[in-house]
Amino acid sequence: SEYESELTSMVMDITTGNIVRVDSSSDSIYIPSEINGVTVTGIGEDVFAYNDTVTSIIIPQSITSIENNAFNYCDNLTKIYYLGTEEQWGNISIGTGNDILTTAEKIYNSEIGISEAAAKYTENSVEVTASALAPEGSDFYAVGYSEDIMTGMSKIENGTAVLPKDTQNVKIIVWDNLGTMEPVCEAKMIEVVQ
C-alpha cells in the first residue's frame, strides 16, 4: 500500500495519503499535493525528525494533518511556503513535537511555479526571459531544443538566459538544486518567437 515517487524522493502510504518517508539531502523540500493520482493529505510521524539540512519546505493545501514529531529537531527549518490561507493552516491537525512549525516563518497563499516565460530570436542567439516563485536555493534553467535534440542549457539569472541561435523550443525548469535535480514545480515548454 505504499507508492514511491521518483520525482520527489518520497514514499506515501496510499491508504492514508500520508508521506511516510522522504529521502532527500536538499535544503528545500517540495511536498506535492498528489502522487500518482492519490491526494497527499498528511505528513507522517518522524518523517523529517532530526533533519538538520532542510531550511524551507513547500506544503500544499491538501495537507490536513502533520503527525507527532514529523518535524522534531528540524532546527534549521526557517521558512514554510504554504499554498493555502492562514485560516486553512490553522485547521491542520498538528501533533506534538512539531514546535519548529510555530517559530518558522510562514508564507501563506504561495504560488510556487513559473509565472512568466518568453523566448525570442536575437541576431546571434535566443534570449530567454522568465520568472518563478521557488524556495531559496532553487536553480532556474532554460533548456533549448531543436526537433527534440538539446541545443543547450543556461542558468536563468536576473530573469534572463541566452541559448544558441538554432534553438526552436525552450523548456523552463526549476530544480531544488543541481545536486539532486528534483523539480520544484511543473516545467514549462515555450516556442521561440521572432
Side-chain angles (χ1 to χ4, degrees), residues 2 13 25 46 60 83 104 124 132 142-143 158 162 165 170 181 184 188:
E2 289 186 352
D13 181 330
S25 59
D46 299 320
L83 305 186
N124 298 313
V143 182
N158 299 318
V162 176
K165 178 82 171 171
V170 177
M181 295 178 74
V184 169
K188 186 172 196 171

Side-chain angles (χ1 to χ4, degrees), residues 19-41:
I19 299 293
V20 294
R21 191 176 82 232
V22 175
D23 297 320
S24 178
S25 59
S26 175
D27 59 353
S28 299
I29 303 288
Y30 170 62
I31 297 176
S33 59
E34 68 174 46
I35 296 176
N36 200 33
V38 178
T39 301
V40 176
T41 59

Side-chain angles (χ1 to χ4, degrees), residues 28-97:
S28 299
I29 303 288
Y30 170 62
I31 297 176
S33 59
E34 68 174 46
I35 296 176
N36 200 33
V38 178
T39 301
V40 176
T41 59
I43 300 171
E45 193 168 320
D46 299 320
V47 169
F48 293 99
Y50 300 96
N51 183 329
D52 59 3
T53 304
V54 66
T55 60
S56 67
I57 189 163
I58 301 168
I59 298 177
Q61 63 191 67
S62 63
I63 296 293
T64 58
S65 68
I66 298 174
E67 303 293 325
N68 293 341
N69 302 313
F71 291 93
N72 200 17
Y73 295 105
C74 286
D75 297 333
N76 294 318
L77 178 62
T78 58
K79 285 191 180 177
I80 299 167
Y81 296 87
Y82 180 60
L83 305 186
T85 65
E86 186 172 0
E87 182 180 342
Q88 289 170 315
W89 175 264
N91 291 330
I92 296 174
S93 172
I94 299 176
T96 61

